[in-house]
Amino acid sequence: MLQFFFVRHGETEWNIEKRLQGRRNSELTENGVRDAELLGVRLATTDFDAVYASPSKRTVETAKLIMGERTLPFKTDERLMEIDLGEWEGRTVGEIQQSEPELYYLYQESPSQFKGTGENFQDVKNRVEAVLAELVGAHPSGNLLIVTHGVVIKVLQTIFKNRSLDLVWEPPYIEGTSLTIVKMEDGKRELLLEGDISHKESKLV
């Protein structure tokens, strides 16, 4: 049995500003750092065979915060990067809605038809399926920690549920440091957990 532990990076400054990041980067906030550390505590008793992350700074930092003092095989893979949003990157949602309302509508309501100046959702699905196949081949069993991005995890949900990309934004929402666990056994995929953020609740205690 192989289990994937998919994690979105921690909250960033641009997340707060509702500014699209894509391939660009902004720094983790104090909350983002704290949430990653809390997830590290939650996963401290899980034996991981390896950690894979998008090479974006925010995902690498999140992965290292989760790993803490543990020494684990760690690799980055560009195929785990966020969707390339081209000219939208660095702009706020409000700005995009004003300047390109029709294209933003497709992005939200009909993702299969969306095509900006970067990638479309099918591009993301193709590269994510490729990296999944490689990881399954390299790790027939065990636990893998995969630190990636919101759109990537939403696309993964459509893959595991065998859904159309037009349903990519269906709940649950994928918050910063949320945990999604997938079990793969005998060729079957099972979603055990989706977008779970229960580790954040310990901040309130």
Side-chain angles (χ1 to χ4, degrees), residues 7 17 29 34 57 75 132 159:
V7 176
E17 297 172 9
T29 63
R34 187 182 308 117
K57 184 180 178 184
K75 295 180 181 179
L132 274 179
I159 293 171

Side-chain angles (χ1 to χ4, degrees), residues 55-110:
S56 294
K57 184 180 178 184
R58 60 190 183 275
T59 43
V60 171
E61 289 182 352
T62 299
K64 290 182 177 179
L65 287 166
I66 295 169
M67 291 162 64
E69 298 300 315
R70 287 199 276 181
T71 301
L72 295 166
F74 178 76
K75 295 180 181 179
T76 60
D77 194 310
E78 290 190 359
R79 293 170 296 181
L80 294 171
M81 290 186 77
E82 185 58 295
I83 185 172
D84 182 346
L85 289 171
E87 294 175 357
W88 280 9
E89 294 183 0
R91 298 168 64 191
T92 66
V93 169
E95 290 168 350
I96 294 165
Q97 286 175 316
Q98 274 196 322
S99 64
E100 297 168 86
E102 294 180 359
L103 189 58
Y104 189 77
Y105 177 85
L106 292 177
Y107 180 77
Q108 288 290 333
E109 304 297 333
S110 189

Side-chain angles (χ1 to χ4, degrees), residues 83 111-112 114 119-129 155 165:
I83 185 172
S112 67
F114 168 78
E119 289 183 299
N120 59 37
F121 286 88
Q122 186 63 49
D123 293 330
V124 178
K125 183 177 182 180
N126 291 345
R127 59 180 166 86
V128 168
E129 286 182 324
V155 169
L165 283 170

